[in-house]
Amino acid sequence: MTITIHNLGYPRIGAKRELKFAQEAYWRGESSEQSLQETAKRLRSIHWQDQKVLDFVPVGDFSLYDQVLDMSVTLGNLPSRVTELPGSELDAFFRTARGRSPADQSAGGVAAGEMTKWFNSNYHYIVPEFSAETTFTLNAERLLEQLAEAQALGVNAKPVIIGPVSYLWLGKEKDGSNKLDLLEQLLPVYDDLLNQLADAGAQWVQIDEPCLVTTLDADFRHAFDIAYHQLHRSKPKLLLASYFSDLGANLDILRELPVDGFHLDLVHAEHEVFRLIDWCDTKVLSLGVIDGRNIWKTDLNATLDKLEPIADRLGDRLWLAPSSSLLHVPVDLSQEDTLDTEIKSWLAFAKQKLSELHVLKVALEEGREAVRDELDANTAALASRRASTRVHNSAVAQRCAAVNADMGTRKLPYAERAPLQHAHLRLPLLPTTTIGSFPQTAEIRKYRSDYRAGRISEAEYIAAMHADIDQCVAIQEELGLDVLVHGEAERNDMVEYFGEQLDGYVFTRFAWVQSYGSRCVKPPIIYGDVSRPKAMTVPWSAYAQAQTKHHMKAMLTGPVTILNWSFVRDDQPRADTCRQIALAIRDEVLDLEAAGLNVIQIDEPALREGLPLKREHWQPYLDWAVEAFRLSANGVRNETQIHTHMCYSEFNDIIAAITEMDADVITIETSRSDMELLEVFENFHYPNEIGPGVYDIHSPNVPTVDSMVALINKAAEKIPVERLWVNPDCGLKTRAWPETKAALEHMVSAAHQLRKKHRAAA
Ligand code: GLN
Ligand code: ZN
């Protein structure tokens, strides 16, 4: 028996983020296109070398920005506002990606393509744009070149493309037309592409159809039939890949689909494998047995227990792979020379995952004895993780077991506690505030890195941060803001900052994962029970409160966001881990309250992105996510005002859950949508206070007083003015001081103007 092992995609940023630095140098005009392309080529060759244990290596998964944008180029579907401009193909590519190419340095840019989340991951893709006028023309150059590059290196290459149905699913009609109408003219282009790849020597093509794991309507389901009945006549063999979840109601679509093989995400869809096997009498079945979304070692023996009977049935038709592209995990664990060695022994990054795949292959082909040492080492590592006293903390377990609904319920309902808060806080109508962070200047960053590196003492560091708080307080007082913030200068990142102070977390040095373009994130790893050894933010907030007579708003990151932006342990339900984090944040909230902070904000910007891919799984997630928030926030006195912040604009489906959280004030992103999203709050009769952002902090532009007055007036048509706050869309850390001060000055005058108007009317 021969088991084929392959990979769906490999991280493209490079073990040391080489791609990021090359992209950014090119964008700044500091390096040539040629040098960018050389770095890209060198990285591809390293990545193929990294994967040489595999029988098939992906080609076409590399991208200078995003693989969906690459597919748009391949199909000749870049927005006309971009292609009309003069310049090279790369100029058009980067203009679509980020609104400008180095050629546009002095001239203004062009509207970039919309960017949105890639399914339930933290990767963002550039949304294809469609209209009734869209036409497609094949541009196979990139794929053919990279295929030739791989072949020249002696790699057994398998091109990877996004399938036609998912390509349409991922895009947006800009003119109200129906994007599925484009399928008919899209298919001949795919046909052509597939034939050209086969002519260039590709035996198999991996065709990704990840929309199969979402809830699809009848038209989209039908599109699969049409597409693959046409494409199966093309020359290469097609491996149709789905990932990130099970197929659920879409499993039936595969039943009669004329392709040569399927890839199923076995980590998330194990229960579907036997039905698929029954339908694969001659087809290849690729099983994604190694988690492409997490960083834990695979239990190789348990995986073999599952695979051996399957291998008996499928023989050579069984392929193995990671569950999804490895784009979502860091490159190489072996670089982590400062990571705790015990914890390191439990982990596997992209490179290590491919070695695991190879061990599985040999074990299936030759028997487990042939890889006894590897399997024993794996067993030992997993046993050490299971038994480690560092993973399990009985005090945390006891606290979690004692959690009850009362702990997450405010002492009085909003309608009764609000008057107590108003009497206590004595805030004016339309109170003004900000979302937490103030500009993170080079000076602040230097203090933090100097402190980390031991170049300055703790006392010097604290003094520097206090000076920054003093300055933030002075500026806010001068601006006339009502509820102040301390500015968050001490925080590198809103999750990492808390993770570093919580037990149960470890940090890596190089475990970067691409989020979009050149932006990478380094999610901290939750390996064990989470608890808070001591107060995390109280000294900063208490210091800040002592500097002013105004109310100082304390800032915390909420449990759901901390969870969703970390690599999470896989040995217990996410809900349990979230509850542990919630208890730690609850302790912090109560300590802040005891330290005299009357207003406490708990940010949950990542709550929405944790929604499962299928609607039928949403409610259970929302249930535990809301419970975690309530547990963290609602232990306070009636007089203490809880704020939460969510910077996005889609609340339609989750408004009931948002209301359940019962925060006294929620600040949201609305300035770009012209207050439209407030309709959801209006229609739902959202009962608590709302601060719809009136200042778009994602742009360096300074909004005028009038524009903000207009936005507040619009908001007041939908929400009673007594329940409105005035604030920016999000934190100001990416902004510079001059525009921040100017914009906030306008914001405060807008609030003052309307306050007068409403008082006069009253
Ligand atoms: N308090 C955080 C800040 O102001 C919120 C950031 C966010 O919502 N992403 O930076
Ligand atoms: Zn925000």
Side-chain angles (χ1 to χ4, degrees):
M1 181 166 49
T2 314
I3 304 288
T4 298
I5 53 174
H6 72 121
N7 186 17
L8 273 57
Y10 198 71
R12 48 180 88 115
I13 52 171
K16 293 258 159 50
R17 288 186 292 162
E18 293 89 336
L19 181 59
K20 172 194 177 70
F21 301 119
Q23 285 166 320
E24 292 176 356
Y26 176 70
W27 294 338
R28 286 194 302 264
E30 289 166 13
S31 75
S32 64
E33 167 166 0
Q34 192 195 348
S35 106
L36 173 65
Q37 297 290 11
E38 273 163 17
T39 304
K41 187 168 175 183
R42 190 167 47 80
L43 284 171
R44 285 194 292 270
S45 116
I46 294 169
H47 300 164
W48 288 325
Q49 291 303 317
D50 284 356
Q51 301 176 81
K52 64 176 183 290
V53 294
L54 303 179
D55 299 303
F56 283 114
V57 167
V59 168
D61 55 334
F62 185 86
S63 178
L64 286 173
Y65 202 93
D66 161 48
Q67 74 269 15
V68 180
L69 179 55
D70 275 334
M71 201 64 214
S72 291
V73 173
T74 303
L75 298 169
N77 182 37
L78 292 189
S80 56
R81 63 176 184 280
V82 165
T83 50
E84 276 159 6
L85 298 173
S88 68
E89 202 171 280
L90 195 65
D91 287 330
F93 180 85
F94 283 132
R95 282 181 186 131
T96 315
R98 49 197 303 276
R100 57 173 56 218
S101 83
D104 307 326
Q105 227 53 279
S106 49
V110 47
E114 193 182 320
M115 192 164 66
T116 196
K117 273 183 190 281
W118 180 243
F119 298 90
N120 59 355
S121 77
N122 192 22
Y123 178 78
H124 302 68
Y125 72 95
I126 304 292
V127 178
E129 295 177 25
F130 304 124
S131 73
E133 271 76 58
T134 299
T135 54
F136 300 103
T137 35
L138 181 61
N139 174 1
E141 222 170 292
R142 175 190 55 96
L143 276 165
L144 293 172
E145 263 175 36
Q146 292 181 15
L147 182 57
E149 227 175 88
Q151 288 160 338
L153 291 168
V155 166
N156 198 13
K158 175 199 56 177
V160 178
I161 59 174
I162 294 163
V165 185
S166 290
Y167 181 72
L168 292 176
W169 187 90
L170 291 162
K172 241 189 190 171
E173 307 92 328
K174 292 284 167 181
D175 61 350
S177 61
N178 180 0
K179 57 190 177 181
L180 271 181
D181 292 343
L182 299 170
L183 184 63
E184 200 183 312
Q185 52 139 326
L186 182 56
L187 292 176
V189 182
Y190 266 88
D191 217 18
D192 210 1
L193 171 63
L194 291 169
N195 288 332
Q196 289 198 27
L197 291 171
D199 290 343
Q203 190 197 351
W204 281 89
V205 173
Q206 172 190 323
I207 191 154
D208 285 1
E209 288 286 9
C211 76
L212 277 167
V213 303
T214 67
T215 307
L216 293 178
D217 65 22
D219 290 344
F220 263 99
R221 294 168 53 94
H222 185 53
F224 275 95
D225 261 346
I226 300 177
Y228 288 93
H229 276 92
Q230 180 158 342
L231 295 184
H232 91 279
R233 291 193 287 265
S234 64
K235 292 181 193 165
K237 294 188 180 170
L238 298 184
L239 180 76
L240 184 101
S242 65
Y243 36 79
F244 296 158
S245 181
D246 59 355
L247 292 139
N250 299 331
L251 187 59
D252 282 340
I253 297 175
L254 303 194
R255 188 175 196 135
E256 307 284 336
L257 217 59
V259 292
D260 305 280
F262 295 120
H263 169 85
L264 181 75
D265 178 334
L266 205 73
V267 174
H268 302 101
E270 197 185 325
H271 53 288
E272 294 178 335
V273 68
F274 284 100
R275 277 183 62 209
L276 213 47
I277 291 175
D278 288 340
W279 301 341
C280 287
D281 37 3
T282 58
K283 289 184 172 78
V284 156
L285 185 56
S286 160
L287 296 181
V289 288
I290 290 182
D291 197 340
R293 294 288 298 276
N294 218 330
I295 39 68
W296 304 104
K297 269 188 179 151
T298 309
D299 185 338
L300 295 176
N301 280 301
T303 307
L304 287 168
D305 292 343
K306 282 177 217 161
L307 287 177
E308 279 158 354
I310 296 177
D312 286 343
R313 280 185 67 178
L314 291 171
D316 291 357
R317 289 187 294 113
L318 174 61
W319 290 20
L320 299 179
S323 60
S324 63
S325 166
L326 295 175
L327 182 66
H328 311 286
V329 293
V331 181
D332 186 3
L333 179 66
S334 70
Q335 299 189 98
E336 299 296 336
D337 41 14
T338 54
L339 190 61
D340 177 287
T341 49
E342 186 186 11
I343 293 170
K344 189 173 169 182
S345 77
W346 306 338
L347 303 176
F349 294 173
K351 250 179 132 164
Q352 289 71 34
K353 284 173 188 279
L354 297 178
S355 308
E356 292 184 332
L357 207 53
H358 187 250
V359 174
L360 292 173
K361 171 188 167 91
V362 177
L364 289 173
E365 288 178 345
E366 300 169 28
R368 297 192 198 193
E369 280 317 308
V371 278
R372 183 48 53 205
D373 289 351
E374 288 86 344
L375 291 179
D376 287 349
N378 178 260
T379 308
L382 294 170
S384 114
R385 183 175 166 208
R386 261 192 300 271
S388 173
T389 49
R390 299 165 65 191
V391 171
H392 306 283
N393 177 336
S394 56
V396 173
Q398 273 164 25
R399 275 195 83 186
C400 284
V403 165
N404 60 48
D406 274 357
M407 291 168 71
T409 308
R410 294 292 294 258
K411 291 163 188 67
L412 287 174
Y414 172 78
E416 291 168 47
R417 67 184 188 259
L420 302 178
Q421 280 170 20
H422 296 157
H424 185 62
L425 299 173
R426 306 174 64 83
L427 291 168
L429 186 73
L430 292 166
T432 54
T433 190
T434 62
I435 305 305
S437 57
F438 273 119
Q440 291 242 328
T441 57
E443 208 187 351
I444 290 175
R445 288 174 204 273
K446 185 162 185 326
Y447 277 121
R448 276 206 315 262
S449 61
D450 282 351
Y451 177 50
R452 261 171 199 264
R455 286 187 291 266
I456 56 173
S457 69
E458 186 175 4
E460 284 169 294
Y461 174 71
I462 292 177
M465 293 296 118
H466 282 177
D468 188 78
I469 293 174
D470 294 348
Q471 196 203 344
C472 286
V473 167
I475 292 172
Q476 293 172 91
E477 287 183 341
E478 198 178 320
L479 285 165
L481 285 152
D482 300 307
V483 174
L484 313 195
V485 297
H486 77 283
E488 299 182 30
E490 76 287 4
R491 302 187 191 174
N492 39 350
D493 170 274
M494 64 186 288
V495 169
E496 201 172 35
Y497 180 75
F498 290 93
E500 279 179 347
Q501 302 185 70
L502 291 168
D503 281 351
Y505 261 101
V506 277
F507 290 83
T508 56
R509 289 183 65 200
F510 306 106
W512 296 96
V513 179
Q514 189 178 18
S515 172
Y516 61 89
S518 68
R519 169 137 178 89
C520 301
V521 293
K522 192 154 62 66
I525 299 172
I526 304 176
Y527 69 89
D529 289 340
V530 174
S531 61
R532 187 194 72 142
K534 65 178 199 327
M536 303 180 282
T537 64
V538 177
W540 300 123
S541 286
Y543 173 83
Q545 179 64 84
Q547 310 314 309
T548 181
K549 288 195 197 55
H550 295 274
H551 296 292
M552 180 58 59
K553 180 164 66 165
M555 281 300 141
L556 299 171
T557 304
V560 187
T561 296
I562 293 182
L563 183 88
N564 284 341
W565 286 349
S566 301
F567 279 122
V568 180
R569 57 194 286 197
D570 60 352
D571 58 348
Q572 69 181 18
R574 288 173 76 86
D576 295 358
T577 305
C578 197
R579 185 177 303 122
Q580 295 177 355
I581 303 170
L583 284 168
I585 299 296
R586 178 185 179 87
D587 294 344
E588 189 73 12
V589 167
L590 296 176
D591 283 352
L592 284 165
E593 182 180 59
L597 286 122
N598 296 314
V599 185
I600 302 171
Q601 177 171 309
I602 306 172
D603 292 326
E604 283 292 16
L607 186 126
R608 193 177 195 287
E609 75 182 52
L611 282 174
L613 290 164
K614 293 193 192 56
R615 276 184 175 254
E616 65 258 37
H617 302 146
W618 281 14
Q619 201 51 51
Y621 163 76
L622 288 171
D623 286 348
W624 62 252
V626 170
E627 185 214 284
F629 180 88
R630 290 172 60 102
L631 185 58
S632 67
N634 291 351
V636 293
R637 287 192 296 265
N638 291 317
E639 289 77 8
T640 300
Q641 189 172 59
I642 295 288
H643 290 218
T644 188
H645 166 70
M646 297 182 187
C647 36
Y648 38 79
S649 43
E650 293 245 347
F651 289 90
N652 291 295
D653 312 304
I654 56 169
I655 186 71
I658 300 297
T659 308
E660 280 287 292
M661 288 164 63
D662 200 18
D664 297 299
V665 182
I666 181 172
T667 55
I668 54 175
E669 184 172 300
T670 35
S671 64
R672 280 198 190 188
S673 70
D674 212 19
M675 298 288 150
E676 264 165 38
L677 88 93
L678 278 184
E679 258 158 52
V680 187
F681 288 83
E682 183 188 19
N683 297 339
F684 195 81
H685 302 294
Y686 183 80
N688 303 8
E689 292 161 53
I690 309 183
V694 293
Y695 156 23
D696 174 12
I697 63 91
H698 305 93
S699 156
N701 298 340
V702 174
T704 60
V705 177
D706 288 349
S707 72
M708 291 194 266
V709 165
L711 284 174
I712 302 166
N713 276 334
K714 266 203 165 160
E717 286 166 18
K718 301 187 159 83
I719 310 287
V721 69
E722 298 72 34
R723 285 200 271 117
L724 278 179
W725 283 64
V726 176
N727 47 264
D729 261 359
C730 192
L732 294 157
K733 66 170 163 240
T734 55
R735 296 268 59 92
W737 269 116
E739 78 239 20
T740 299
K741 276 191 205 163
L744 291 177
E745 199 181 306
H746 290 180
M747 188 185 90
V748 171
S749 342
H752 286 180
Q753 206 175 306
L754 289 172
R755 219 172 264 170
K756 256 193 221 129
K757 183 188 112 183
H758 284 280
R759 257 196 227 113

